[in-house]
Amino acid sequence: MKVLKGAEVSAKIKEEILGQMAGMDGQAPKLAIVRVGERPDDLSYERGAIKKLTGFGLRVQSYAYPADISDREFKEAFDAVNRDPDVSGILLLRPLPEQICEKEIEERIDPAKDLDGISPVNIARVFAGDASGFAPCTAEAVIEILRANEIPIEGKRVTIIGRSMVVGRPLSMLFVRENATVTICHTRTRDLPATCRQAEILVVAAGRAKLVNADHVGQGAIVVDVGIHVDASGKLCGDVDFDSIGERASMATPVPGGVGAVTTAVLAKHLVRAAMKGRVSAD
């Protein structure tokens, strides 16, 4: 089984980004990371994003607010970031605390700066097959991994386990755009293993540690694991029992070192794309 390492895909995206930035005048594009509170997973993702984007030569600024900030105060602060002409793109770390109306923030974000595809405008574009919209970075990272490894998508039978608006549903639309035949499953799908075995490309984004094993994988299938968890022994693992699928899968992404490494590279790609569009509009 070939291991599809995210670092190799990220390096290809970096090369693409550096080529685009070589033709840009002025300061490097700036990402605003907006965080409320100090949830450990938010802090971890923020550190990873800062490291990746600064390594690509991009600017990043964190805008951190206390966990007990009021809805009104946060909206005022968020609007200021949203309007800042120096900010080319925004990454809002979610979920937000319960006192803040997250839906209203999603509606307020400038679609042109919405790098993770949370605004209704970008969601509608993705579902309409309009490539001008920003898809969620994790969903797009799956496509980038397949492309970078020259894995054909057109005409393939693709099964996605997971129906969230973060990965499963938007990813299904990205696959449809690539002319794949897509099945969406979830943890309540009847006889899930039998359905998954029909897939030539199996993407697992169920949010359940080691849900998928060799019984779910058809011979020669390509498996992309979007999940990330900490197991009983304190080690990182995914939604796939990676060690069990080696004799059935032809290729698979590891956890860690797979989709996650590419997600932040896609964020950087979206930032440069947003900046280039913004500068064309300004001209």
Side-chain angles (χ1 to χ4, degrees), residues 126 138-140 142-143 160 166-176 182 203 226:
V126 170
T138 302
E140 194 166 315
V142 173
I143 302 295
I160 302 169
V166 177
V167 183
R169 296 188 198 189
L171 178 56
S172 71
M173 294 297 101
L174 298 184
F175 272 120
V176 168
V182 183
V203 182
V226 178

Side-chain angles (χ1 to χ4, degrees), residues 55-277:
F56 282 20
L58 299 163
R59 295 184 295 146
V60 184
Q61 182 173 343
S62 295
Y63 295 80
Y65 305 97
D68 61 354
I69 189 172
S70 71
D71 182 69
R72 179 184 60 79
E73 289 174 321
F74 180 69
K75 284 174 180 170
E76 290 176 355
F78 186 80
D79 286 347
V81 177
N82 212 16
R83 290 192 302 264
D84 187 346
D86 190 41
V87 172
S88 297
I90 297 171
L91 174 65
L92 174 65
L93 298 181
R94 299 176 297 163
L96 296 173
E98 61 181 12
Q99 77 272 14
I100 298 173
C101 182
E102 190 168 305
K103 185 175 184 296
E104 290 181 5
I105 301 300
E106 292 168 356
E107 292 171 349
R108 293 169 96 94
I109 191 170
D110 181 349
K113 296 183 179 184
D114 170 32
L115 304 187
D116 206 21
I118 66 172
S119 78
V121 172
N122 279 322
I123 291 169
R125 286 173 177 165
V126 170
F127 275 77
D130 181 351
S132 69
F134 288 113
C137 294
T138 302
E140 194 166 315
V142 173
I143 302 295
E144 290 283 356
I145 288 169
L146 298 174
R147 283 181 182 156
N149 286 279
E150 299 181 347
I151 297 168
I153 299 174
E154 184 170 344
K156 292 293 181 71
R157 297 188 305 276
V158 176
T159 295
I160 302 169
I161 307 178
R163 52 183 169 175
S164 76
M165 287 299 294
V166 177
V167 183
R169 296 188 198 189
L171 178 56
S172 71
M173 294 297 101
L174 298 184
F175 272 120
V176 168
R177 188 192 298 170
E178 299 290 332
N179 298 313
T181 300
V182 183
T183 300
I184 298 180
C185 297
H186 41 82
T187 53
R188 296 185 184 180
T189 297
R190 192 172 300 168
D191 200 354
L192 182 62
T195 301
C196 292
R197 284 196 298 271
Q198 303 302 311
E200 295 170 281
I201 299 173
L202 177 61
V203 182
V204 190
R208 185 176 297 183
K210 297 185 180 181
L211 170 71
V212 167
N213 55 40
D215 192 36
H216 296 72
V217 180
Q219 195 64 47
I222 297 159
V223 180
V224 181
D225 189 353
V226 178
I228 187 162
H229 313 273
V230 178
D231 66 17
S233 62
K235 294 181 179 179
L236 291 175
C237 67
D239 286 359
V240 177
D241 184 355
F242 189 81
D243 293 336
S244 77
I245 66 170
E247 293 185 4
R248 298 192 66 84
S250 61
M251 305 179 194
T253 60
V255 176
V259 175
V262 181
T263 297
T264 47
V266 170
L267 177 66
K269 185 175 181 177
H270 283 184
L271 177 63
V272 173
R273 184 175 135 204
M276 292 173 71
K277 281 187 177 181

Side-chain angles (χ1 to χ4, degrees), residues 18-80:
L18 293 177
Q20 291 173 330
M21 289 178 61
M24 297 175 67
D25 296 325
Q27 283 189 306
K30 177 180 173 180
L31 170 69
I33 299 178
V34 179
R35 170 172 50 82
V36 180
E38 297 188 351
R39 294 172 63 242
D41 51 346
D42 283 350
L43 292 170
S44 176
Y45 188 75
E46 181 179 308
R47 286 192 296 269
I50 291 172
K51 182 178 179 180
K52 179 64 66 72
L53 270 71
T54 54
F56 282 20
L58 299 163
R59 295 184 295 146
V60 184
Q61 182 173 343
S62 295
Y63 295 80
Y65 305 97
D68 61 354
I69 189 172
S70 71
D71 182 69
R72 179 184 60 79
E73 289 174 321
F74 180 69
K75 284 174 180 170
E76 290 176 355
F78 186 80
D79 286 347

